[in-house]
Coordinates of all heavy atoms in Angstrom, one line a residue:
H134 N 57.9 -116.7 -68.6 CA 56.5 -116.8 -68.0 C 56.4 -115.9 -66.8 O 55.4 -115.3 -66.5 CB 56.3 -118.3 -67.5 CG 56.2 -119.3 -68.6 ND1 55.6 -119.0 -69.8 CD2 56.6 -120.6 -68.6 CE1 55.7 -120.1 -70.6 NE2 56.2 -121.1 -69.9
R219 N 52.3 -100.1 -80.1 CA 51.9 -100.7 -81.3 C 52.7 -102.0 -81.5 O 52.0 -103.0 -81.8 CB 52.3 -99.7 -82.5 CG 51.6 -100.1 -83.8 CD 51.6 -98.9 -84.8 NE 52.9 -98.2 -84.8 CZ 53.1 -97.0 -84.4 NH1 52.2 -96.3 -83.9 NH2 54.3 -96.4 -84.5
P228 N 57.9 -114.5 -82.1 CA 59.0 -115.1 -82.8 C 58.7 -115.3 -84.3 O 57.5 -115.4 -84.6 CB 59.2 -116.4 -82.1 CG 57.8 -116.7 -81.5 CD 57.3 -115.4 -81.1

Side-chain angles (χ1 to χ4, degrees):
H134 293 326
R219 196 161 44 249

